Structures are given as C-alpha cells and as structure tokens.
Amino acid sequence: MSVLKWINVGKVSAERDDELVNYFYDNGVLNSVLTNKSSFLVLGRKGAGKTAVFRYLKENPHQYLSDKDILVSLSFEDYNWKVHSLLSNSETAESLAYKHSWRFVILVEVIKAYASRCAKDGVTVPQPIAKAQTLLEKLFDHPLPSVYQLIGRKLLGLSKVKLPRAGLDLEDGSFDSVEVSGGELSFEEVSADNDIRTALAQNVSNIIAYLEAALAKIQPCEYRTVICFDRVDEAWDNVSLDVSRKVLAGLVSASDSLTAKYNGVVRPIIFLREDIFSVLPLNDSNKLREDCGALLKWDRDDLFKLLLRRLSYFAQKNDVDAVEDLDGLFDKNEMRQRSKPSNYLLKRTMMRPRDMICFLSRTIDAVKESVNDPFEETPANFDHLPVEAIYTAEPGYSEWLRQELLDEWFIQYSHIVKLLSAIQNHASTQFTRAELESQLRALGVEFTQTGILDDLRFLFDNSVVGFKIGASTTWRYRCFYPSQGFIESDLYKVHDGLIRALNLKEPRDAS
C-alpha cells in the first residue's frame, strides 16, 4: 500500500483535533502537578501542548484522579473579563487587585461541584456545604449558573443584595434577612457608581468568608476538588493587555492562597503560557515557578514517541503495521551533510510537539502535491516519503515558525518585530552584537547598551539565536539545552528553523 494512503500525524491544534484522545502522549507533567500538593501551575511555551493535556485530563479523569476526586474544567473562550474589574482593589499590589474576584469564582465552583457530587453518589451533603449551596441558590438561581453566567449579570446582581451585617446570622443558616432586590444593573451603571461598587465588594467579601468557613468545617473532606483553568489568555491582546495582566495575576494569587489554605483538598490548576506568566505583576514569580509549577517541556525521546504514536494510530487504522522508526518512513536514511531525516526535522523545531507535527505534516502534503502534479503523466506510487519533500516543505514551515514566534511575543514584547527585521537585513545566519546594533540603527531604533544585552538575552531565551561555549563547535540553543543560561558571546547564530523565513545565508555563501 502506498504510504500516502494512510499516513497522517493529526492536527496541529489540540482544540480542533477530534482524534486526540486516541493517540495522546503523556510526558508526565500531569502526575508531577497532581502528586504535589503545593503545585497549581502548568507552564509551557506556545505549542508545547498545554491544551492537549487539559483536554485529555478533562475527557479521561479516571487515569489521573481517584474515585473521590471531583474535576471541574473551565476553558475561557467566551468570558466576561471586564466584570472582574468591578471587584478590583486599586490600593493593593497589582498581583492582588483581582485576587478577591477569583477567590469568589473558585469557591462558588467548589461548593457547586461538591454538592453535585454528593447527590450523584447518593450521600448526604455535609450541612455546611448544604447551607452554602442554599445561600448561593437564593442569591443566584437554582440550579447555580455556570461560571460564564456568574461573572456577568449574576455577579452584577449582588450589587442589589442586602446581607446581614458582617454575615453573623448566616452562621446558623437563617437567610431570612438576606434581601435580593429585583431588576438588573448594567456593567456601566455599577462601574460608574462608587456606592454600588462598594456594596458589591462588601457582599462578595461576606460571601467569600461564608464559603471559606463552610469548607473549613468539613476538613478533612471526603472529596478533593480539582478545578482546571485553560485558555485564560483569550483576552491577551493589545486592547486588553493591561487588564489581562492584572486579572491573570489575580488568578495565580488566588490559586496560590487557596491551595495552601486547604492543603490540597481544593486544587486549582492553571494551564498558562510561560511567556505570559513571565510578564505578570507577581511579587514572587520566581518562587511560584520553582515551588508551585511544572514546566511542560519535551526531550528528544518523548517528541519522537509522540509522533510515532500518532503515526501508528493512523497506520493500524488502515491495517498497516505500527510505525516503530521515524527514519524508516523515508526513502533514504541520510540527507545532505549526512543528517538523518528525524534529526533534520528536530533541529528545525523548538522542541515543541506543534513544531514537529507541523513540519512532518507539511512534508506529507508536499509529497501529495507532487503526486497531483498536473504536468506529470505518470504519478509516482510511494512506498516511502522522499527526503526531498522535507526540503520542499521547509520554506513554508519556516515562515509558520516565524509567525508562531510573533504570535507568542508581539503583545508583550512588540520590539521582536524590529529585532527580526534587523537580523533579516543583516542577511547572514551569524552576527555579532555590533552588527545587530548597526542594523537596528539603520532601522531608526534607539537603544542602550543595557537594552541590547536584554534583547540578546530575550532572543536566546526564546531560541531565536544560539552561541558556542569556549572551544566547542556546538551551537547551544535554549530549546535544546534548557539548563544553559545566557552568556554574552562574540558571535550568535540564528535558529535553523528560522533561516528560510528570514532568507539568511551561511557566511561561506555570502559572496
């Protein structure tokens, strides 16, 4: 059978991949987070596979969670971010300004999930949880609304709620003194009236205190609630950047405090891009990254295993033997300069699944296009993929990788556009610091010596450039050598995956 009859590597985007569950590859990041009571962050570069991990956990919780665990998965594709601002406190640190509203969201979701699980299992809902559920239903509705509705008109409605002073008689579960006024308020009405905002904030504070007390009374809990947040960067754009930074910082701060407070019984887990986390206004971001986070990173073996699992799934689906060797797919074991096809592909990635999937998928498409060449009278029947197709696919893949880099960093580091333009104008794969300065100057970019060093560090940290150490002949890029720190060097080289997109030449070809 022609290899083109069955070969497939699935979709680049996990959100759109209906087959993901059939060939998901776990590199261990989920167990790393779930088995550590203090962890609540899953960080990774764009394309590292965070959404794939989130989706697989959501659809297969039994593989990672016990029978007594409750999973709540929240993906914020359509979410009213601006309502969070109504509960912000401008007098606190930026990282704490939105902590209040996120504590409210998480606690409501936990109470709702706990009561629902008790009903499902046919067990009596603990009295503190039952009372909290009753209060929330009186305030919001029965059944309780989704988080999308909650952070919207439902939350605005709390501006017209009258709670007992300090919530004292709520301790006994007597809600007769809770008054819920009719009518709705708009975001604009609440945001423009300080008295209404004050009432809203006070009501939310009282409810948070009540919900926290309810959960504290049932510890140790029979159930553990794992509440996962994915795609929280949906509002990460030029228009909403300032607010988004504070809102996400608030989510991290709230998750940190609740994780510590409930000793792992309430487990928020945030799937977040590493580049976004790095620019959040957090006081202890380095400590949080080290103590409370797991980095979704890949090594060579895991990346190849991921590809082989995908390829084997489609092969066996078409009654073809499983694929055990990536190089065995190709008609030659070596390419130019004696590089294996697998190494050639890997060297042009930034060690992310999305890169490998995209490059191999484009290589397959290049072979299919050659079969459908309108000027070829006798189409070839391929038993293997020709290695020449890799070269054919490379320019398009390289441009894709460049665009991925811009998508990843343009919002928080728009200077990347000028840096790539300067490198492209230099036209060589290798450059010195002075040559980069010269090209930036030609573009009219003002810079300082400290700024240039920061730019070079940024380029290295994101694997755009690498350098050599001492007498070594190996170019070291962060994606291939993650423990390598930045060192100011005499010469830098652009990542092989970007060379074609930037139309660069090796120094020996400059003439």
Side-chain angles (χ1 to χ4, degrees):
M1 179 187 295
S2 170
V3 67
L4 299 182
K5 294 290 186 183
W6 63 265
I7 194 166
N8 198 334
V9 284
K11 294 184 178 178
V12 170
S13 172
E15 303 95 290
R16 301 176 182 87
D17 194 345
D18 295 333
E19 300 275 17
L20 179 66
V21 67
N22 296 313
Y23 46 63
F24 174 77
Y25 180 80
D26 178 15
N27 72 347
V29 70
L30 273 177
N31 280 327
S32 175
V33 173
L34 291 170
T35 56
N36 183 345
K37 287 185 177 181
S38 65
S39 288
F40 62 88
L41 286 168
V42 177
L43 301 174
R45 286 194 69 179
K46 189 175 188 292
K50 298 178 298 301
T51 296
V53 173
F54 172 84
R55 268 197 61 192
Y56 194 76
L57 174 61
K58 177 182 177 181
E59 296 171 16
N60 301 272
H62 58 280
Q63 292 193 19
Y64 301 94
L65 306 177
S66 75
D67 292 340
K68 293 298 183 180
D69 286 331
I70 307 168
L71 177 65
V72 179
S73 55
L74 302 174
S75 184
F76 295 100
E77 298 169 81
D78 180 22
Y79 189 72
N80 196 341
W81 292 102
K82 67 178 184 179
V83 176
H84 269 294
S85 64
L86 298 178
L87 298 177
S88 65
N89 185 345
S90 60
E91 297 179 359
T92 65
E94 284 187 301
S95 61
L96 303 177
Y98 291 82
K99 179 179 177 180
H100 203 51
S101 55
W102 278 116
R103 287 175 73 89
F104 172 74
V105 168
I106 293 171
L107 290 168
V108 169
E109 287 295 319
V110 170
I111 294 293
K112 183 168 64 172
Y114 200 108
S116 176
R117 179 59 181 268
C118 288
K120 179 181 177 181
D121 290 352
V123 300
T124 302
V125 181
Q127 191 177 43
I129 297 295
K131 289 180 177 179
Q133 174 92 341
T134 300
L135 172 62
L136 292 174
E137 288 178 349
K138 176 161 185 171
L139 294 174
F140 296 114
D141 267 339
H142 177 77
L144 284 175
S146 69
V147 67
Y148 305 102
Q149 298 166 320
L150 192 66
I151 303 298
R153 291 182 177 178
K154 299 296 181 184
L155 180 59
L156 297 178
L158 287 183
S159 304
K160 305 188 77 173
V161 170
K162 294 185 183 296
L163 291 176
R165 184 177 181 183
L168 294 179
D169 63 346
L170 295 183
E171 295 298 315
D172 299 322
S174 173
F175 305 127
D176 293 338
S177 55
V178 176
E179 297 178 13
V180 182
S181 303
E184 293 183 351
L185 289 172
S186 68
F187 171 81
E188 288 72 20
E189 288 175 303
V190 177
S191 60
D193 192 317
N194 286 332
D195 290 338
I196 296 179
R197 288 191 63 174
T198 299
L200 173 63
Q202 185 60 54
N203 283 337
V204 171
S205 293
N206 286 342
I207 295 168
I208 288 174
Y210 185 75
L211 299 182
E212 287 185 336
L215 285 171
K217 288 178 182 177
I218 60 169
Q219 290 200 54
C221 295
E222 182 177 1
Y223 301 110
R224 178 179 69 159
T225 304
V226 179
I227 178 167
C228 297
F229 298 87
D230 184 42
R231 306 193 70 177
V232 291
D233 57 351
E234 287 299 306
W236 196 257
D237 53 43
N238 280 324
V239 176
S240 310
L241 178 60
D242 187 54
V243 172
S244 293
R245 287 174 65 252
K246 297 173 185 177
V247 169
L248 292 179
L251 173 59
V252 172
S253 296
S255 298
D256 183 23
S257 65
L258 289 173
T259 299
K261 183 180 181 70
Y262 293 103
N263 193 31
V265 172
V266 176
R267 292 296 310 275
I269 297 179
I270 307 168
F271 293 79
L272 185 61
R273 275 169 40 187
E274 189 181 10
D275 58 291
I276 291 178
F277 179 80
S278 70
V279 296
L280 295 183
L282 295 165
N283 293 328
D284 296 314
S285 59
N286 284 336
K287 183 179 76 173
L288 289 173
R289 187 193 298 269
E290 294 296 325
D291 297 344
C292 306
L295 184 62
L296 181 52
K297 57 184 179 180
W298 297 81
D299 59 26
R300 174 194 177 92
D301 287 344
D302 280 334
L303 274 178
F304 284 177
K305 286 177 182 177
L306 178 147
L307 276 182
L308 291 174
R309 179 168 294 188
R310 286 172 170 250
L311 289 162
S312 294
Y313 168 75
F314 289 106
Q316 293 173 327
K317 194 175 180 181
N318 289 273
D319 296 323
V320 175
D321 292 340
V323 182
E324 298 181 356
D325 176 29
L326 195 57
D327 292 315
L329 288 172
F330 295 91
D331 62 350
K332 297 177 184 177
N333 290 326
E334 291 185 348
M335 301 174 64
R336 300 168 198 166
Q337 284 131 15
R338 306 188 66 180
S339 175
K340 288 185 176 181
S342 59
N343 285 339
Y344 191 93
L345 291 168
L346 185 67
K347 194 176 180 181
R348 282 149 184 80
T349 73
M350 293 186 174
M351 293 295 283
R352 301 176 297 193
R354 187 178 295 181
D355 302 344
M356 287 292 286
I357 294 167
C358 179
F359 201 173
L360 186 54
S361 180
R362 284 172 177 262
T363 300
I364 295 167
D365 288 343
V367 181
K368 291 180 178 178
E369 287 176 8
S370 71
V371 171
N372 296 321
D373 187 339
F375 302 104
E376 189 65 48
E377 295 182 5
T378 308
N381 186 24
F382 294 102
D383 294 326
H384 296 82
L385 299 176
V387 293
E388 290 299 318
I390 297 177
Y391 299 122
T392 303
E394 187 173 356
Y397 162 75
S398 183
E399 181 55 40
W400 174 88
L401 186 62
R402 173 184 172 276
Q403 190 58 52
E404 281 286 288
L405 194 63
L406 291 175
D407 289 346
E408 183 178 13
W409 278 103
F410 179 75
I411 300 302
Q412 58 270 33
Y413 202 87
S414 61
H415 186 50
I416 187 176
V417 176
K418 294 292 186 182
L419 290 174
L420 292 182
S421 294
I423 292 172
Q424 185 168 9
N425 290 344
H426 181 59
S428 173
T429 60
Q430 300 177 25
F431 63 88
T432 65
R433 171 173 171 166
E435 287 169 336
L436 178 63
E437 291 176 355
S438 175
Q439 293 298 335
L440 286 173
R441 197 175 291 114
L443 290 171
V445 177
E446 296 183 0
F447 56 84
T448 63
Q449 293 305 304
T450 301
I452 284 290
L453 202 59
D454 288 341
D455 287 339
L456 288 167
R457 182 179 288 106
F458 166 80
L459 291 171
F460 171 74
D461 285 344
N462 288 279
S463 303
V464 177
V465 302
F467 48 73
K468 293 179 181 178
I469 303 293
S472 172
T473 59
T474 301
W475 291 98
R476 300 181 73 84
Y477 297 89
R478 188 68 179 272
C479 56
F480 303 128
Y481 303 95
S483 62
Q484 175 66 58
F486 174 74
I487 298 174
E488 190 173 3
S489 175
D490 294 332
L491 192 65
Y492 302 92
K493 184 181 179 184
V494 177
H495 188 286
D496 284 346
L498 295 167
I499 289 175
R500 299 298 293 273
L502 299 177
N503 196 26
L504 306 178
K505 301 292 184 184
E506 294 289 347
R508 63 177 179 272
D509 298 331
S511 60

